[in-house]
Amino acid sequence: MENEKSTFLQAEEIKLLANEAFKAHKFSQAIDLYSQAIELDGQTAVYWANRAFAHTKLEEYGSAVQDASMAIQIDPKYSKGYYRRGAAYLAMGKFKEALKDFQQVKKIRPNDPDANKKLKECEKAVMKFKFEEAISVADSERHSVADSIDFHTTGTGPGSSYFSPQVTAVTVAAVVVAVLLAGLGPKAAAVVAAGVVLVFVAMGTWWADYSGGVISKNRTFDIEVEPQYSGARIEGDIVTIDFVKKMMDDFKNQKCLHKRYACQIVLQTREMLRALPSLVDINIPDGKRFTVCGDVHGQFYDLLNIFELNGLPSEDNPYLFNGDFVDRGSFSVEVILTLFALKCMAPSAIYLARGNHESKSMNKIYGFEGEVKSKLGETFVELFAEVFCCLPLAHVINEKVFIIHGGLFSVDGVKLSDIKAIDRFCEPPEEGLMCELLWSDPQPLPGRGPSKRGVGLSFGADVTKRFLQENNLGLVVRSHEVKDEGYEIEHDGKLITVFSAPNYCDQMGNKGAFIRFEAPILKPNIVTFSAVPHPDVKPMAYANNFLRLFS
């Protein structure tokens, strides 16, 4: 009995240390300490729930679900277990599962105003996504927005902007939903609204075919550049360094780029990216250097700092940005337009890889979609989604350094030719090579294990070693994970994680990093840097309201 009491007190002391680490935003340390408490006393639900919360802060949502489920198993009436699991499910986009957990919280704590508020937000989110699912157009029937816009004619018309029948229909349906919600309830409202959408889309499509006017299948995207516009301008088809510098300076001062020029940049970038293979070979001549950056996540002012420290991209100073340009940070539009404009200016000065956040599902939840709607409008949401599907998935420098956003694969024997053969022009699937290279993470143990994120997998040093040997490569560089120092070297020096968003989400306190390689040796030279100040716009400012409640 005395022994049990001593073990319990020891576990409680460790829990308090873990709580202090959590408050200091040292989430990895908190996880280690909670794990020690669990080893001493694995039957206390709060230890599991607290560790789940720390996993959530590190975006390890799969692990958070597992820990919260264990807390629920230990104590089925422990509301915080359902709460933590529901929050993790929300972050993963699993809204139906999240709703069940928050309903359980309400059942256990019926008079808790916070629980009621979050349940209502979750119900709204589930209804919204069901509604969007109901009105979505099948991929086989979807027409490319980019193909229907000719930027050469953009801004030459009488000043009217194009709104598609689908956008008009959704707008009308949203009004219908708002009116019907009170009287009919959410289910009936969604059904009626979906019907309204179908009617409006059908009418819009008929009118588009019939009218031959502004709304047509070969439509123009008329946005007049007003005489009073004083921002950066593109003269003709050529994006120049002067334009890029002026645009970046405007962004720095929180001024907007005109939609006319934003449209041109996005469309020109799409044309370049879609011509590339899924795996791009990069050749760096002897004596020349090449810089690899990790996740930027909408932190525009930190991107400017990278260029201050390392120079602007140019033919003599080329960069690769390794995915996750957008989401979470609230200057994602500025980041993506800057990177795309630099690509237009000098295609071989900057290479861009797809990350798991270059996808509709992530952008809908983590802020980019809302930011684009606010700063550029609805049509640009579809434009960016199409361009993201054109981004290459992997790069190889001088046949030696393999660079992907996430990680390696669930099977051995994957060759570079297999990656090059991936049909990437789609939203990321939930399994297979494309999913895994966007989502997977390294692990310290050998072999393979389940993903701590709930998507992809974890892979050990032996998996990395075999992949490199089978493909005659020397090093894997990947991003995808925040690291305290901005980078981490793992797997016997054969794998480097690089992350370029310092003080991630204004709360992690981490450094950022980038890697310089110089040919022919290609020895990685890692440069770290700290966050710089930015205007008072909080991260996740444009994210879905329900997610902000849990951030």
Side-chain angles (χ1 to χ4, degrees), residues 90-108:
L90 273 180
M92 296 167 74
K94 296 185 175 182
F95 304 108
K96 292 176 185 176
E97 291 90 339
L99 183 58
K100 289 176 186 175
D101 278 337
F102 288 118
Q103 286 169 339
Q104 193 65 29
V105 173
K106 172 80 184 300
K107 189 176 177 182
I108 296 169

Side-chain angles (χ1 to χ4, degrees), residues 289-343:
R289 77 179 192 187
F290 188 87
T291 301
V292 178
C293 295
D295 305 36
V296 178
H297 274 301
Q299 296 185 196
F300 176 69
Y301 294 84
D302 293 308
L303 175 66
L304 292 183
N305 189 39
I306 291 172
F307 294 149
E308 282 289 323
L309 296 170
N310 198 55
L312 279 172
S314 67
E315 303 288 351
D316 292 324
N317 188 32
Y319 282 76
L320 165 61
F321 283 85
N322 197 28
D324 281 14
F325 321 121
V326 301
D327 278 338
R328 294 196 177 272
S330 296
F331 302 95
S332 292
V333 166
E334 289 81 357
V335 166
I336 198 67
L337 287 177
T338 297
L339 296 178
F340 281 3
L342 288 163
K343 184 71 176 173

Side-chain angles (χ1 to χ4, degrees), residues 96-287:
K96 292 176 185 176
E97 291 90 339
L99 183 58
K100 289 176 186 175
D101 278 337
F102 288 118
Q103 286 169 339
Q104 193 65 29
V105 173
K106 172 80 184 300
K107 189 176 177 182
I108 296 169
R109 295 158 55 188
N111 299 318
D112 185 330
D114 185 60
N116 287 334
K117 180 182 179 183
K118 284 171 179 172
L119 175 61
K120 285 179 182 176
E121 284 299 324
C122 192
E123 286 172 339
K124 285 181 190 175
V126 170
M127 195 192 79
K128 180 175 182 287
F129 281 91
K130 278 184 178 177
F131 170 66
E132 289 175 349
E133 211 173 62
I135 66 170
S136 63
V137 180
D139 287 343
S140 57
E141 298 172 16
R142 192 184 301 274
H143 296 290
S144 167
V145 173
D147 283 343
S148 64
I149 297 171
D150 180 2
F151 71 81
H152 293 93
T153 59
T154 300
T156 60
S160 60
S161 298
Y162 169 74
F163 291 91
S164 71
Q166 287 84 355
V167 172
T168 305
V170 171
T171 305
V172 173
V175 176
V176 171
V177 168
V179 173
L180 293 178
L181 266 174
L184 298 179
K187 288 185 180 177
V191 170
V192 175
V196 170
V197 167
L198 292 174
V199 171
F200 271 84
V201 169
M203 289 177 65
T205 303
W206 169 79
W207 180 251
D209 289 338
Y210 174 78
S211 67
V214 174
I215 301 176
S216 68
K217 286 187 176 179
N218 297 311
R219 60 188 181 257
T220 60
F221 187 73
D222 276 336
I223 306 174
E224 196 71 35
V225 180
E226 302 83 0
Q228 65 269 29
Y229 173 70
S230 60
R233 292 174 181 261
I234 303 172
E235 301 298 334
D237 289 355
I238 307 301
V239 175
T240 64
I241 186 63
D242 289 339
F243 165 80
V244 173
K245 286 180 176 178
K246 166 68 173 162
M247 180 188 72
M248 289 167 61
D249 194 53
D250 286 347
F251 285 161
K252 185 177 179 180
N253 293 303
Q254 293 188 274
K255 296 178 182 177
C256 296
L257 179 68
H258 199 284
K259 294 178 186 179
R260 160 68 177 81
Y261 305 116
C263 182
Q264 178 172 342
I265 288 167
V266 174
L267 291 175
Q268 285 187 335
T269 303
R270 175 178 177 264
E271 288 307 303
M272 281 183 280
L273 294 176
R274 71 195 302 201
L276 297 172
S278 292
L279 183 149
V280 176
D281 290 298
I282 301 170
N283 181 51
I284 307 302
D286 289 357

Side-chain angles (χ1 to χ4, degrees), residues 319-445:
Y319 282 76
L320 165 61
F321 283 85
N322 197 28
D324 281 14
F325 321 121
V326 301
D327 278 338
R328 294 196 177 272
S330 296
F331 302 95
S332 292
V333 166
E334 289 81 357
V335 166
I336 198 67
L337 287 177
T338 297
L339 296 178
F340 281 3
L342 288 163
K343 184 71 176 173
C344 293
M345 179 194 78
S348 60
I350 186 167
Y351 296 83
L352 303 171
R354 192 173 193 173
N356 61 302
H357 275 267
E358 277 69 59
S359 67
K360 286 183 180 180
S361 59
M362 292 290 103
N363 298 160
K364 194 177 291 294
I365 297 172
Y366 290 100
F368 184 58
E369 180 179 296
E371 185 181 342
V372 171
K373 286 179 180 178
S374 174
K375 294 178 179 178
L376 293 170
E378 186 90 36
T379 302
F380 278 88
V381 173
E382 282 301 317
L383 272 180
F384 280 117
E386 289 184 21
V387 179
F388 288 165
C389 289
C390 299
L391 286 163
L393 303 175
H395 294 77
V396 175
I397 302 175
N398 289 11
E399 301 181 341
K400 287 299 174 189
V401 181
F402 177 69
I403 307 171
I404 31 72
H405 178 74
L408 299 181
F409 310 102
S410 57
V411 294
D412 289 331
V414 175
K415 298 296 177 63
L416 297 183
S417 57
D418 298 322
I419 300 169
K420 197 166 280 192
I422 294 173
D423 181 3
R424 71 183 189 277
F425 298 98
C426 60
E427 289 301 308
E430 294 184 7
E431 58 184 10
L433 297 185
M434 182 172 171
C435 169
E436 290 164 1
L437 63 81
L438 292 175
W439 279 97
S440 294
D441 296 291
Q443 65 180 21
L445 298 173

